[in-house]
Amino acid sequence: MGKGAAMTQHQRVDASPARTAFLVGVPLVWVVVALLHPQGDGDVFDYLDDKVGLWLGVHFAQPVLALGVAAVLWMLLAGRTSTAATVARVAIPVWLVSFAVFDSVTGLGSGLAVRHAKDLSGPEQQGAASTAEYLLENKVTADFSPVWFVQAAALLTAVIATALVLRSADASRAVFVTMLIGTLLVFHAGPAAAVGLVALAAAFFLADREGLFLSSRESVPAA
């Protein structure tokens, strides 16, 4: 290395109780939210009539928790320069934006329409209820819509690519497998998503214990 050139060194970060609590706490809090997420069939207004407060609370919480999960994935990628790491870094913000659109329009929008409908009567109530139904089932942002598929593909890409990065960094099989199981978060609600989130919590905990979080610092110029 020539005189005056700088080199970047990457050091493993020792586990700390505060960081471990954050790494594990974010997905475990989302487990509770995923299990509380109202799910049902039939008329949206009738189903959410007595659950609209919970519905709105869940959909306010999910984007915040998604940001927390994304932050942990980003921390795991610190100091990594492989192709898989680059792919994961591109996928993470795509997931955050597309998931926020999906959650806001389909979740918050439909919930607010139901809440508005509760204060109306007759044709006005029917119109507001119809709007809630449309927001929940439209072909642009609802489940299995283009926006849903973008966020699903981005999440799968981010988690799988991060798992591959960690495996190449000598992560244990347990870390790799639990990260892959974590892709069940793609369902975002219900028991399947809860299993995925528990798996992510386990993967983050084990990665912390195995020293897979790196810190980068730039050294003084080498002579």
Side-chain angles (χ1 to χ4, degrees), residues 17-121:
R19 192 179 70 251
T20 300
F22 172 74
L23 302 177
V24 176
V26 169
L28 290 185
V29 170
W30 201 344
V31 168
V32 177
V33 173
L35 294 175
L36 288 175
H37 190 301
Q39 293 179 297
D41 299 318
D43 183 80
V44 174
F45 178 73
D46 289 340
Y47 176 69
L48 290 182
D49 183 35
D50 60 344
K51 303 180 183 70
V52 67
L54 176 60
W55 178 268
L56 290 171
V58 163
H59 289 91
F60 271 118
Q62 284 182 158
V64 177
L65 294 168
L67 184 60
V69 169
V72 177
L73 294 175
W74 199 270
M75 290 164 61
L76 283 168
L77 297 168
R80 320 285 187 185
T81 58
S82 65
T83 299
T86 300
V87 169
R89 288 192 184 96
V90 171
I92 289 171
V94 173
W95 173 56
L96 284 176
V97 172
S98 55
F99 181 76
V101 172
F102 163 72
D103 189 86
S104 299
V105 176
T106 303
L108 291 175
S110 62
L112 290 171
V114 169
R115 171 167 283 183
H116 180 57
K118 287 165 64 70
D119 298 327
L120 303 174
S121 61

Side-chain angles (χ1 to χ4, degrees), residues 9 16 26-27 34 79 89 94 97 108 113 117 136 146 162 169 172 182 185 196 204:
Q9 297 179 343
S16 69
V26 169
R89 288 192 184 96
V94 173
V97 172
L108 291 175
L136 196 62
T162 302
S172 66
L185 175 57
F204 297 161

Side-chain angles (χ1 to χ4, degrees), residues 120-154:
L120 303 174
S121 61
E124 289 183 328
Q125 184 180 77
Q126 293 175 5
S130 176
T131 298
E133 189 84 27
Y134 173 75
L135 289 169
L136 196 62
E137 299 181 356
N138 73 86
K139 299 184 183 302
V140 179
T141 61
D143 283 336
F144 306 108
S145 67
V147 170
W148 186 91
F149 278 112
V150 169
Q151 68 84 28

